[in-house]
CSV table of all heavy atoms in Angstrom, one decimal:
chain,number,residue,atom,x,y,z
F,17,MET,N,-4.2,71.9,33.9
F,17,MET,CA,-3.6,70.8,34.5
F,17,MET,C,-4.4,69.5,34.3
F,17,MET,O,-5.6,69.5,34.5
F,17,MET,CB,-3.4,71.2,36.0
F,17,MET,CG,-2.6,70.2,36.8
F,17,MET,SD,-2.2,70.9,38.4
F,17,MET,CE,-2.3,69.5,39.4
F,18,THR,N,-3.7,68.5,34.0
F,18,THR,CA,-4.4,67.2,33.8
F,18,THR,C,-4.8,66.6,35.1
F,18,THR,O,-4.0,66.5,36.0
F,18,THR,CB,-3.4,66.2,33.0
F,18,THR,OG1,-3.0,66.9,31.8
F,18,THR,CG2,-4.1,64.9,32.7
F,19,LYS,N,-6.0,66.1,35.1
F,19,LYS,CA,-6.5,65.3,36.3
F,19,LYS,C,-6.4,63.9,35.9
F,19,LYS,O,-6.7,63.5,34.7
F,19,LYS,CB,-7.9,65.7,36.7
F,19,LYS,CG,-7.9,67.2,37.2
F,19,LYS,CD,-9.3,67.5,37.7
F,19,LYS,CE,-9.2,68.9,38.2
F,19,LYS,NZ,-10.3,69.2,39.1
F,20,TRP,N,-6.0,63.0,36.8
F,20,TRP,CA,-5.8,61.6,36.5
F,20,TRP,C,-6.7,60.7,37.3
F,20,TRP,O,-7.1,61.1,38.4
F,20,TRP,CB,-4.3,61.2,36.9
F,20,TRP,CG,-3.3,62.0,36.1
F,20,TRP,CD1,-2.6,63.1,36.5
F,20,TRP,CD2,-2.8,61.7,34.8
F,20,TRP,NE1,-1.8,63.5,35.5
F,20,TRP,CE2,-1.9,62.7,34.5
F,20,TRP,CE3,-3.1,60.7,33.8
F,20,TRP,CZ2,-1.2,62.7,33.2
F,20,TRP,CZ3,-2.5,60.8,32.6
F,20,TRP,CH2,-1.5,61.8,32.3
F,21,GLU,N,-7.0,59.6,36.8
F,21,GLU,CA,-7.6,58.5,37.6
F,21,GLU,C,-6.6,57.4,37.6
F,21,GLU,O,-5.8,57.2,36.7
F,21,GLU,CB,-9.0,58.1,37.0
F,21,GLU,CG,-9.0,57.5,35.6
F,21,GLU,CD,-10.3,57.0,35.1
F,21,GLU,OE1,-11.1,56.5,35.9
F,21,GLU,OE2,-10.7,57.3,34.0
F,22,TYR,N,-6.7,56.6,38.7
F,22,TYR,CA,-5.7,55.6,38.9
F,22,TYR,C,-6.4,54.2,39.0
F,22,TYR,O,-7.5,54.1,39.5
F,22,TYR,CB,-4.9,55.9,40.1
F,22,TYR,CG,-4.1,57.2,40.0
F,22,TYR,CD1,-4.7,58.4,40.4
F,22,TYR,CD2,-2.9,57.2,39.4
F,22,TYR,CE1,-4.0,59.6,40.3
F,22,TYR,CE2,-2.2,58.4,39.2
F,22,TYR,CZ,-2.8,59.6,39.7
F,22,TYR,OH,-2.1,60.8,39.5
F,23,GLN,N,-5.6,53.2,38.7
F,23,GLN,CA,-6.1,51.8,38.9
F,23,GLN,C,-4.9,51.0,39.4
F,23,GLN,O,-3.8,51.1,39.0
F,23,GLN,CB,-6.6,51.2,37.6
F,23,GLN,CG,-7.1,49.8,37.8
F,23,GLN,CD,-8.0,49.4,36.6
F,23,GLN,OE1,-8.7,50.2,36.0
F,23,GLN,NE2,-7.9,48.1,36.2
F,24,VAL,N,-5.2,50.1,40.4
F,24,VAL,CA,-4.2,49.1,40.9
F,24,VAL,C,-4.8,47.7,40.5
F,24,VAL,O,-5.9,47.4,40.9
F,24,VAL,CB,-4.0,49.3,42.4
F,24,VAL,CG1,-3.0,48.2,42.9
F,24,VAL,CG2,-3.6,50.7,42.7
F,25,ALA,N,-4.0,46.9,39.9
F,25,ALA,CA,-4.5,45.6,39.4
F,25,ALA,C,-3.5,44.5,39.5
F,25,ALA,O,-2.3,44.8,39.2
F,25,ALA,CB,-4.9,45.8,37.9
F,26,PRO,N,-3.9,43.4,40.0
F,26,PRO,CA,-3.0,42.2,40.0
F,26,PRO,C,-2.7,41.8,38.5
F,26,PRO,O,-3.6,41.8,37.7
F,26,PRO,CB,-3.7,41.2,40.8
F,26,PRO,CG,-5.2,41.5,40.7
F,26,PRO,CD,-5.2,43.0,40.5
F,27,ILE,N,-1.5,41.3,38.3
F,27,ILE,CA,-1.1,40.8,36.9
F,27,ILE,C,-0.8,39.4,37.0
F,27,ILE,O,0.2,39.0,37.7
F,27,ILE,CB,0.1,41.6,36.4
F,27,ILE,CG1,-0.2,43.1,36.4
F,27,ILE,CG2,0.5,41.1,35.0
F,27,ILE,CD1,-1.3,43.6,35.5
F,28,PRO,N,-1.5,38.5,36.3
F,28,PRO,CA,-1.2,37.1,36.3
F,28,PRO,C,0.2,36.8,35.8
F,28,PRO,O,0.6,37.4,34.8
F,28,PRO,CB,-2.3,36.4,35.4
F,28,PRO,CG,-3.3,37.5,35.1
F,28,PRO,CD,-2.6,38.8,35.5
F,29,LEU,N,0.9,36.0,36.4
F,29,LEU,CA,2.3,35.7,36.1
F,29,LEU,C,2.5,35.0,34.7
F,29,LEU,O,3.5,35.1,34.1
F,29,LEU,CB,3.0,34.9,37.1
F,29,LEU,CG,3.2,35.6,38.5
F,29,LEU,CD1,3.8,34.6,39.5
F,29,LEU,CD2,4.0,36.8,38.3
F,30,HIS,N,1.4,34.4,34.2
F,30,HIS,CA,1.6,33.7,32.9
F,30,HIS,C,1.0,34.5,31.8
F,30,HIS,O,1.2,34.1,30.6
F,30,HIS,CB,0.8,32.4,33.0
F,30,HIS,CG,-0.7,32.5,33.3
F,30,HIS,ND1,-1.2,32.8,34.6
F,30,HIS,CD2,-1.7,32.6,32.5
F,30,HIS,CE1,-2.5,32.9,34.5
F,30,HIS,NE2,-2.8,32.8,33.2
F,31,ASN,N,0.5,35.7,32.0
F,31,ASN,CA,-0.1,36.5,30.9
F,31,ASN,C,0.2,38.0,31.1
F,31,ASN,O,-0.7,38.8,30.8
F,31,ASN,CB,-1.6,36.3,31.0
F,31,ASN,CG,-2.1,35.5,29.8
F,31,ASN,OD1,-1.4,35.3,28.9
F,31,ASN,ND2,-3.4,35.1,29.9
F,32,GLU,N,1.4,38.3,31.5
F,32,GLU,CA,1.7,39.7,31.8
F,32,GLU,C,1.5,40.6,30.6
F,32,GLU,O,0.8,41.7,30.7
F,32,GLU,CB,3.2,39.9,32.2
F,32,GLU,CG,3.5,39.1,33.5
F,32,GLU,CD,4.1,37.8,33.2
F,32,GLU,OE1,3.8,37.2,32.1
F,32,GLU,OE2,4.9,37.3,34.0
F,33,ALA,N,2.1,40.3,29.4
F,33,ALA,CA,2.0,41.2,28.3
F,33,ALA,C,0.5,41.4,27.8
F,33,ALA,O,0.1,42.5,27.5
F,33,ALA,CB,2.8,40.7,27.1
F,34,LEU,N,-0.2,40.3,27.7
F,34,LEU,CA,-1.6,40.3,27.3
F,34,LEU,C,-2.4,41.3,28.2
F,34,LEU,O,-3.2,42.1,27.7
F,34,LEU,CB,-2.2,38.9,27.2
F,34,LEU,CG,-3.7,38.9,26.9
F,34,LEU,CD1,-3.9,39.4,25.5
F,34,LEU,CD2,-4.2,37.5,27.0
F,35,MET,N,-2.3,41.1,29.5
F,35,MET,CA,-3.0,41.9,30.4
F,35,MET,C,-2.6,43.4,30.3
F,35,MET,O,-3.5,44.2,30.3
F,35,MET,CB,-2.7,41.4,31.9
F,35,MET,CG,-3.5,42.0,32.9
F,35,MET,SD,-5.2,41.3,32.9
F,35,MET,CE,-5.5,41.3,34.6
F,36,LEU,N,-1.3,43.7,30.2
F,36,LEU,CA,-0.9,45.1,30.1
F,36,LEU,C,-1.4,45.7,28.8
F,36,LEU,O,-1.7,46.9,28.7
F,36,LEU,CB,0.6,45.2,30.3
F,36,LEU,CG,1.1,44.9,31.7
F,36,LEU,CD1,2.6,44.8,31.8
F,36,LEU,CD2,0.5,45.8,32.7
F,37,ASN,N,-1.3,44.9,27.7
F,37,ASN,CA,-1.8,45.4,26.4
F,37,ASN,C,-3.3,45.7,26.5
F,37,ASN,O,-3.7,46.7,25.9
F,37,ASN,CB,-1.5,44.4,25.3
F,37,ASN,CG,0.0,44.5,24.9
F,37,ASN,OD1,0.6,45.5,25.0
F,37,ASN,ND2,0.5,43.3,24.5
F,38,ASN,N,-4.1,44.9,27.2
F,38,ASN,CA,-5.5,45.2,27.3
F,38,ASN,C,-5.7,46.5,28.0
F,38,ASN,O,-6.6,47.3,27.7
F,38,ASN,CB,-6.2,44.0,28.0
F,38,ASN,CG,-6.3,42.8,27.1
F,38,ASN,OD1,-6.3,42.9,25.9
F,38,ASN,ND2,-6.5,41.7,27.7
F,39,PHE,N,-5.0,46.7,29.1
F,39,PHE,CA,-5.1,48.0,29.8
F,39,PHE,C,-4.7,49.2,28.9
F,39,PHE,O,-5.4,50.2,28.9
F,39,PHE,CB,-4.2,48.0,31.1
F,39,PHE,CG,-4.8,47.3,32.2
F,39,PHE,CD1,-4.1,46.2,32.8
F,39,PHE,CD2,-6.0,47.7,32.8
F,39,PHE,CE1,-4.6,45.6,33.9
F,39,PHE,CE2,-6.5,47.0,33.9
F,39,PHE,CZ,-5.8,46.0,34.5
F,40,GLY,N,-3.7,49.0,28.1
F,40,GLY,CA,-3.2,50.0,27.2
F,40,GLY,C,-4.3,50.4,26.2
F,40,GLY,O,-4.5,51.5,25.8
F,41,GLN,N,-5.0,49.4,25.7
F,41,GLN,CA,-6.0,49.6,24.7
F,41,GLN,C,-7.2,50.4,25.3
F,41,GLN,O,-7.9,51.1,24.6
F,41,GLN,CB,-6.6,48.3,24.1
F,41,GLN,CG,-5.6,47.6,23.2
F,41,GLN,CD,-6.0,46.3,22.7
F,41,GLN,OE1,-7.0,45.7,23.2
F,41,GLN,NE2,-5.3,45.7,21.7
F,42,ASP,N,-7.4,50.3,26.6
F,42,ASP,CA,-8.4,51.0,27.3
F,42,ASP,C,-7.9,52.4,27.7
F,42,ASP,O,-8.6,53.1,28.5
F,42,ASP,CB,-8.9,50.2,28.5
F,42,ASP,CG,-9.7,49.0,28.1
F,42,ASP,OD1,-10.2,49.0,26.9
F,42,ASP,OD2,-9.8,48.1,28.9
F,43,GLY,N,-6.7,52.8,27.3
F,43,GLY,CA,-6.2,54.1,27.7
F,43,GLY,C,-5.4,54.2,28.9
F,43,GLY,O,-5.0,55.3,29.3
F,44,TRP,N,-5.1,53.1,29.6
F,44,TRP,CA,-4.3,53.1,30.8
F,44,TRP,C,-2.8,53.1,30.5
F,44,TRP,O,-2.4,52.4,29.6
F,44,TRP,CB,-4.7,51.9,31.7
F,44,TRP,CG,-6.0,51.9,32.2
F,44,TRP,CD1,-7.1,51.3,31.8
F,44,TRP,CD2,-6.5,52.7,33.4
F,44,TRP,NE1,-8.2,51.5,32.5
F,44,TRP,CE2,-7.9,52.4,33.5
F,44,TRP,CE3,-5.9,53.6,34.2
F,44,TRP,CZ2,-8.6,53.0,34.5
F,44,TRP,CZ3,-6.6,54.1,35.2
F,44,TRP,CH2,-8.0,53.8,35.4
F,45,GLU,N,-2.1,53.9,31.2
F,45,GLU,CA,-0.6,54.0,31.1
F,45,GLU,C,0.0,53.4,32.4
F,45,GLU,O,-0.4,53.7,33.5
F,45,GLU,CB,-0.2,55.4,31.0
F,45,GLU,CG,1.3,55.6,30.9
F,45,GLU,CD,1.7,57.1,30.8
F,45,GLU,OE1,0.8,57.9,30.5
F,45,GLU,OE2,2.8,57.4,31.1
F,46,LEU,N,0.9,52.4,32.1
F,46,LEU,CA,1.6,51.8,33.3
F,46,LEU,C,2.5,52.8,33.9
F,46,LEU,O,3.4,53.4,33.3
F,46,LEU,CB,2.4,50.6,32.8
F,46,LEU,CG,3.1,49.8,33.8
F,46,LEU,CD1,2.2,49.1,34.8
F,46,LEU,CD2,4.0,48.7,33.1
F,47,VAL,N,2.4,52.9,35.2
F,47,VAL,CA,3.3,53.8,36.0
F,47,VAL,C,4.4,53.0,36.6
F,47,VAL,O,5.6,53.3,36.5
F,47,VAL,CB,2.5,54.5,37.1
F,47,VAL,CG1,3.4,55.3,38.0
F,47,VAL,CG2,1.4,55.4,36.5
F,48,THR,N,4.1,51.8,37.2
F,48,THR,CA,5.1,51.0,37.8
F,48,THR,C,4.5,49.6,38.1
F,48,THR,O,3.3,49.4,38.1
F,48,THR,CB,5.7,51.6,39.2
F,48,THR,OG1,6.8,50.8,39.6
F,48,THR,CG2,4.6,51.6,40.3
F,49,ILE,N,5.3,48.6,38.3
F,49,ILE,CA,4.9,47.3,38.7
F,49,ILE,C,5.7,47.0,40.0
F,49,ILE,O,6.9,47.2,40.1
F,49,ILE,CB,5.2,46.2,37.7
F,49,ILE,CG1,4.3,46.4,36.5
F,49,ILE,CG2,5.0,44.8,38.3
F,49,ILE,CD1,4.5,45.4,35.4
F,50,GLN,N,5.0,46.5,41.0
F,50,GLN,CA,5.6,46.1,42.3
F,50,GLN,C,5.3,44.6,42.6
F,50,GLN,O,4.3,44.1,42.0
F,50,GLN,CB,5.0,47.0,43.4
F,50,GLN,CG,5.3,48.4,43.3
F,50,GLN,CD,6.7,48.8,43.5
F,50,GLN,OE1,7.4,48.3,44.4
F,50,GLN,NE2,7.2,49.7,42.7
F,51,THR,N,6.1,44.0,43.4
F,51,THR,CA,5.9,42.6,43.8
F,51,THR,C,5.2,42.7,45.2
F,51,THR,O,5.7,43.4,46.1
F,51,THR,CB,7.2,41.9,43.9
F,51,THR,OG1,7.9,42.0,42.6
F,51,THR,CG2,7.0,40.4,44.2
F,52,ASN,N,4.1,41.9,45.3
F,52,ASN,CA,3.4,41.9,46.6
F,52,ASN,C,4.1,40.9,47.6
F,52,ASN,O,5.1,40.2,47.1
F,52,ASN,CB,1.9,41.6,46.5
F,52,ASN,CG,1.6,40.3,46.0
F,52,ASN,OD1,2.4,39.3,46.0
F,52,ASN,ND2,0.4,40.1,45.5
F,53,ALA,N,3.6,40.8,48.8
F,53,ALA,CA,4.3,39.9,49.8
F,53,ALA,C,4.2,38.5,49.4
F,53,ALA,O,5.1,37.7,49.8
F,53,ALA,CB,3.6,40.1,51.1
F,54,GLN,N,3.3,38.1,48.6
F,54,GLN,CA,3.2,36.7,48.1
F,54,GLN,C,4.0,36.4,46.8
F,54,GLN,O,4.0,35.3,46.3
F,54,GLN,CB,1.7,36.3,47.9
F,54,GLN,CG,0.9,36.3,49.2
F,54,GLN,CD,0.5,37.7,49.6
F,54,GLN,OE1,0.3,38.6,48.8
F,54,GLN,NE2,0.3,37.8,50.9
F,55,GLY,N,4.7,37.4,46.3
F,55,GLY,CA,5.5,37.2,45.1
F,55,GLY,C,4.7,37.5,43.8
F,55,GLY,O,5.3,37.4,42.7
F,56,GLY,N,3.5,37.9,43.9
F,56,GLY,CA,2.7,38.3,42.7
F,56,GLY,C,3.0,39.7,42.2
F,56,GLY,O,3.6,40.5,43.0
F,57,LEU,N,2.6,40.0,41.0
F,57,LEU,CA,2.8,41.3,40.5
F,57,LEU,C,1.6,42.2,40.6
F,57,LEU,O,0.5,41.7,40.4
F,57,LEU,CB,3.2,41.2,39.0
F,57,LEU,CG,4.5,40.4,38.7
F,57,LEU,CD1,4.7,40.4,37.2
F,57,LEU,CD2,5.7,41.1,39.3
F,58,ILE,N,1.8,43.5,41.0
F,58,ILE,CA,0.7,44.5,41.1
F,58,ILE,C,1.1,45.6,40.1
F,58,ILE,O,2.2,46.2,40.3
F,58,ILE,CB,0.6,45.0,42.5
F,58,ILE,CG1,0.4,43.8,43.5
F,58,ILE,CG2,-0.5,46.0,42.6
F,58,ILE,CD1,-0.9,43.1,43.3
F,59,ALA,N,0.2,46.0,39.2
F,59,ALA,CA,0.4,47.1,38.3
F,59,ALA,C,-0.3,48.3,38.8
F,59,ALA,O,-1.4,48.2,39.3
F,59,ALA,CB,-0.1,46.7,36.9
F,60,PHE,N,0.4,49.4,38.7
F,60,PHE,CA,-0.2,50.7,39.1
F,60,PHE,C,-0.3,51.5,37.7
F,60,PHE,O,0.7,51.7,37.1
F,60,PHE,CB,0.7,51.5,40.1
F,60,PHE,CG,0.7,50.8,41.4
F,60,PHE,CD1,1.6,49.7,41.6
F,60,PHE,CD2,-0.1,51.3,42.5
F,60,PHE,CE1,1.6,49.1,42.9
F,60,PHE,CE2,0.0,50.6,43.7
F,60,PHE,CZ,0.8,49.6,43.9
F,61,LEU,N,-1.5,51.9,37.4
F,61,LEU,CA,-1.8,52.5,36.1
F,61,LEU,C,-2.5,53.8,36.3
F,61,LEU,O,-3.2,54.1,37.3
F,61,LEU,CB,-2.7,51.6,35.3
F,61,LEU,CG,-2.1,50.1,35.1
F,61,LEU,CD1,-3.0,49.1,35.8
F,61,LEU,CD2,-1.9,49.8,33.7
F,62,LYS,N,-2.4,54.7,35.2
F,62,LYS,CA,-3.1,56.0,35.3
F,62,LYS,C,-3.7,56.3,33.9
F,62,LYS,O,-3.1,55.8,32.9
F,62,LYS,CB,-2.3,57.1,35.8
F,62,LYS,CG,-1.2,57.5,34.8
F,62,LYS,CD,-0.4,58.7,35.3
F,62,LYS,CE,0.7,59.1,34.3
F,62,LYS,NZ,1.4,60.3,34.7
F,63,ARG,N,-4.7,57.1,33.8
F,63,ARG,CA,-5.1,57.7,32.6
F,63,ARG,C,-5.8,59.0,32.9
F,63,ARG,O,-6.3,59.2,34.0
F,63,ARG,CB,-6.1,56.8,31.8
F,63,ARG,CG,-7.4,56.5,32.4
F,63,ARG,CD,-8.2,55.6,31.6
F,63,ARG,NE,-9.5,55.3,32.3
F,63,ARG,CZ,-10.3,54.3,31.8
F,63,ARG,NH1,-10.1,53.7,30.7
F,63,ARG,NH2,-11.4,54.1,32.5
F,64,PRO,N,-5.9,59.9,31.9
F,64,PRO,CA,-6.6,61.2,32.1
F,64,PRO,C,-8.0,61.0,32.6
F,64,PRO,O,-8.7,60.1,32.0
F,64,PRO,CB,-6.5,61.9,30.8
F,64,PRO,CG,-5.3,61.3,30.1
F,64,PRO,CD,-5.3,59.8,30.5
F,65,ALA,N,-8.5,61.7,33.6
F,65,ALA,CA,-9.8,61.6,34.1
F,65,ALA,C,-10.8,62.1,33.0
F,65,ALA,O,-10.4,63.1,32.3
F,65,ALA,CB,-10.0,62.3,35.4
F,66,GLN,N,-11.9,61.5,32.9
F,66,GLN,CA,-12.9,62.0,31.9
F,66,GLN,C,-14.0,62.8,32.5
F,66,GLN,O,-14.3,62.8,33.6
F,66,GLN,CB,-13.6,60.7,31.3
F,66,GLN,CG,-12.5,59.9,30.6
F,66,GLN,CD,-13.1,58.8,29.8
F,66,GLN,OE1,-14.3,58.7,29.5
F,66,GLN,NE2,-12.3,57.9,29.4
């Protein structure tokens, strides 16, 4: 069974793709994006634990 580690990160509104691509290069997989109470984006990511 795969064990996962998780990360929650704010995503700047002017650089969404760049930020998500950087996470992807580090092995993170995007699970979902939510909007916080202030209207900003929060990314929830996972990758296999090492």
